[in-house]
Amino acid sequence: MPVLYVNTKQHKGSIELKPDETIASGLFRMGISVPAACGGKGTCGKCRVLIDNDWQHSCGLRPERDVCVTAFSWEENSDKMQLVGHARVKTDEQTAMREATNNVKGQMTGKQETGDSAIMVVDLGTTTLAASLIEENTGNVMGTLGQANHQSVFGGDVLSRMQASERGEGENLQKIIRQDIRQLRDGLLSICPGCVLTAIYLAGNTTMQHLFMGDSCAALGKAPFIPVSVERRESVLDGIPVILLPGIGAFVGADITAGMLACGMDQHAGITMLIDVGTNGEMVLAANDRYYVTSAPAGPAFEGANLSCGMPSLPGAVCKVRIAGNRAIYRCIKEQEAVGICGTGALELVAELLDHGLADRNGHLKTPYDTQGYPLLAGRGKKLCFTQQDMRQIQMAKAAIRSGIEILLKKAGISPKEVDKVFLAGGFGYYMDVTKAVRIGMLPPEFAAKTRAVGNTSLQGCMDYCMKKDASKRMQRMIEASCEINLAVEPEFEEIYVSHMGF
């Protein structure tokens, strides 16, 4: 059997690769998660790993070389790099990997000492996770942490993960998400070492909660899309009770019901709308004493995945962009050195490219950027470029969001100008420039003056659910008054979607 040797700052060791196993799968069994937004198809280029040249040639790596080479958009020597989520090795030769690069942080450990009781609330996002530790008696927030969801090794969207689960990776997906939550727990307890954790509350989309529970995704991933459960459920993590908040259906989960609670959509007299621009683009329209809910197939582009130099909204991500003259001026999260671009940065860059005539209304980048990409950063051995394919990813994502909005409005029989308030949720929404979102056509022009960023409503709603006496009853009433709309079976969806592909 081939032997995989790893030598990094965080990991050293070896493991035998199984027959026809990808390198990424072997790395995962060593405790190393390598992101693969495309689910191992070899197209996103996010699972780049430096591999010793002699080892590559001796073991007979079997990636699709044409796909692998084109995926390396940064100035890398493709002869020394492989997409390990896609690459497999022949199993009849002894092989060795001498060096691999990865950015996985070591597990944090904290002390649980006798002291104040605390509750942990978690936003179980597809791309990123966020968690807060709150004092049980007062509801005071004692600390908040976030990190990437390392299930990305099996793909950047819920469909890829459902498919991976059905291929037999369900147990691994469950292990990853539970370990991610442990890591957040330990990090929070290290901030508040005197606290004793008594419960964990989770709010995530229906797929994420299925994967946490180890449920089968077989019926969830195909028509008529039947979840195992969307009711409130309970589990245990290392002896600590875990409560999963209730959702509405296969496409709209507990992260949105938590958002509805956090925004008080049941307490506003006028017409309100909640839009969570994440991987799934969920949205809710409160009108006519009903809640019209849907999930738009935006994909993970607004969370940095599927972009050639994309990344989540983490330190080092370009989040603000302006074009001045012939160069881009940008700002990074935490003012750190640029590593990639996140969703808000990509959205602003697209708006700037349009305003400066560097892209047309059909989304075509002008020469030479159509072939070379528009350079965000060049120099110091780095190059970050926004490519024509990246532009297409943003076009598809924004068209899906806009189409979902229009169909909900049509179902309720109201126009955009009749909406009184629009709540824009999530980390993406918090940093997003609404005028830029209107400029590229993601939001109707009538929403420009009515839209308010409300941050992570999934996390806030999770806090409200466990701390406010009437919260669970209010949430249940909203769930019972909800009407879930599946855009995939709406006859107008495709036509509306295509009409909003342009700018």
Side-chain angles (χ1 to χ4, degrees):
M1 300 288 286
V3 177
L4 179 67
Y5 292 99
V6 175
N7 180 15
T8 73
K9 292 181 179 178
Q10 294 90 355
H11 298 85
K12 295 183 188 295
S14 62
I15 193 171
E16 287 189 349
L17 290 175
K18 298 177 182 179
D20 206 38
E21 182 178 26
T22 64
I23 299 172
S25 178
L27 290 170
F28 169 71
R29 291 193 291 115
M30 296 180 71
I32 304 171
S33 293
V34 181
C38 63
K41 297 181 180 66
T43 56
C44 71
K46 298 298 177 66
C47 59
R48 300 174 181 85
V49 166
L50 180 63
I51 298 178
D52 181 81
N53 243 6
D54 294 336
W55 182 77
Q56 285 197 57
H57 296 307
S58 66
C59 74
L61 274 170
R62 297 191 286 105
E64 299 294 334
R65 288 301 303 165
D66 55 334
V67 174
C68 288
V69 172
T70 57
F72 298 127
S73 60
W74 300 354
E75 290 183 338
E76 298 169 350
N77 185 343
S78 60
D79 289 337
K80 295 181 181 179
M81 306 293 289
Q82 284 292 348
L83 301 180
V84 296
H86 183 64
R88 302 172 189 271
V89 299
K90 291 181 180 178
T91 58
D92 57 351
E93 297 182 71
Q94 202 69 2
T95 61
M97 175 185 283
R98 298 199 180 121
E99 185 175 10
T101 60
N102 73 88
N103 59 359
V104 180
K105 295 181 179 179
Q107 180 180 348
M108 297 179 287
T109 58
K111 299 179 180 179
Q112 293 191 30
E113 301 174 1
T114 302
D116 295 333
S117 296
I119 295 173
M120 178 178 170
V121 293
V122 182
D123 169 31
L124 206 61
T126 307
T127 304
T128 55
L129 307 176
S132 292
L133 194 68
I134 57 178
E135 194 172 16
E136 191 168 6
N137 293 331
T138 66
N140 292 332
V141 178
M142 297 181 286
T144 299
L145 291 175
Q147 69 171 50
N149 183 334
H150 290 104
Q151 286 181 330
S152 60
V153 68
F154 292 108
D157 54 59
V158 292
L159 179 59
S160 297
R161 295 186 200 171
M162 284 191 283
Q163 292 171 343
S165 175
E166 291 311 295
R167 291 197 308 267
E169 298 289 357
E171 185 177 347
N172 284 335
L173 284 158
Q174 184 184 34
K175 285 180 180 178
I176 291 173
I177 196 60
R178 287 178 175 249
Q179 184 58 30
D180 279 349
I181 292 171
R182 287 188 183 98
Q183 187 164 316
L184 286 168
R185 174 202 66 192
D186 293 344
L188 288 169
L189 290 173
S190 69
I191 296 172
C192 310
C195 294
V196 176
L197 191 59
T198 61
I200 300 172
Y201 284 75
L202 302 181
N205 65 57
T206 304
T207 300
M208 288 305 306
Q209 295 199 170
H210 272 52
L211 296 175
F212 175 85
M213 294 294 290
D215 295 332
S216 169
C217 293
L220 183 63
K222 58 186 178 182
F225 310 105
I226 301 173
V228 171
S229 176
V230 292
E231 303 295 323
R232 168 183 162 135
R233 291 200 281 172
E234 297 184 4
S235 182
V236 177
L237 183 69
D238 301 338
I240 301 170
V242 179
I243 295 89
L244 283 74
L245 273 60
I248 294 173
F251 302 105
V252 181
D255 52 344
I256 297 306
T257 58
M260 294 162 69
L261 183 65
C263 294
M265 295 186 78
D266 59 333
Q267 298 175 334
H268 286 281
I271 298 172
T272 60
M273 192 165 199
L274 168 65
I275 305 172
D276 190 340
V277 187
T279 305
N280 304 305
E282 295 105 335
M283 55 194 73
V284 183
L285 176 65
N288 309 325
D289 297 321
R290 302 187 71 185
Y291 301 91
Y292 302 86
V293 302
T294 195
S295 176
F302 283 137
E303 296 203 344
N306 288 0
L307 301 180
S308 60
C309 57
M311 64 179 290
S313 299
L314 298 172
V318 173
C319 60
K320 295 285 183 183
V321 182
R322 295 292 181 271
I323 292 177
N326 60 354
R327 62 188 290 264
I329 301 172
Y330 57 83
R331 195 182 83 191
C332 295
I333 295 176
K334 298 293 186 182
E335 306 298 336
Q336 294 191 11
E337 185 178 355
V339 178
I341 188 168
C342 64
T344 56
L347 184 149
E348 292 196 7
L349 177 58
V350 168
E352 289 288 302
L353 290 169
L354 292 167
D355 287 343
H356 286 78
L358 301 177
D360 63 27
R361 66 178 308 275
N362 294 315
H364 295 129
L365 292 173
K366 296 299 178 69
T367 304
Y369 306 129
D370 55 341
T371 56
Q372 300 177 10
Y374 182 82
L376 273 171
L377 168 68
R380 300 190 299 278
K382 281 188 176 182
K383 185 175 181 180
L384 302 183
C385 286
F386 188 80
T387 68
Q388 184 64 67
Q389 182 58 33
D390 295 337
M391 177 70 85
R392 291 286 176 259
Q393 292 293 327
I394 296 298
Q395 281 184 271
M396 291 188 290
K398 71 97 178 179
I401 297 293
R402 182 65 178 272
S403 301
I405 292 170
E406 291 206 4
I407 286 178
L408 288 190
L409 292 171
K410 283 178 177 288
K411 289 289 182 181
I414 61 176
S415 65
K417 67 180 181 181
E418 293 178 272
V419 177
D420 297 297
K421 291 183 180 179
V422 179
F423 303 109
L424 203 58
F428 176 87
Y430 187 78
Y431 293 104
M432 189 180 77
D433 185 330
V434 175
T435 61
K436 301 295 184 184
V438 170
R439 170 65 181 90
I440 72 169
M442 189 178 84
L443 299 178
E446 296 88 347
F447 281 11
K450 305 172 182 178
T451 301
R452 179 166 64 95
V454 288
N456 191 328
T457 56
S458 176
L459 197 62
Q460 182 59 53
C462 209
M463 293 183 202
D464 292 346
Y465 185 87
C466 66
M467 296 304 298
K468 294 183 178 180
K469 291 182 180 179
D470 64 338
S472 61
K473 291 181 180 179
R474 287 175 51 206
M475 180 182 286
Q476 191 58 41
R477 285 195 293 266
M478 286 190 283
I479 290 172
E480 291 169 359
S482 293
C483 172
E484 184 178 19
I485 297 164
N486 181 1
L487 296 182
V489 299
E490 287 297 316
E492 294 180 286
F493 175 72
E494 187 174 344
E495 181 182 348
I496 295 173
Y497 176 84
V498 172
S499 72
H500 287 296
M501 278 290 288
F503 295 106

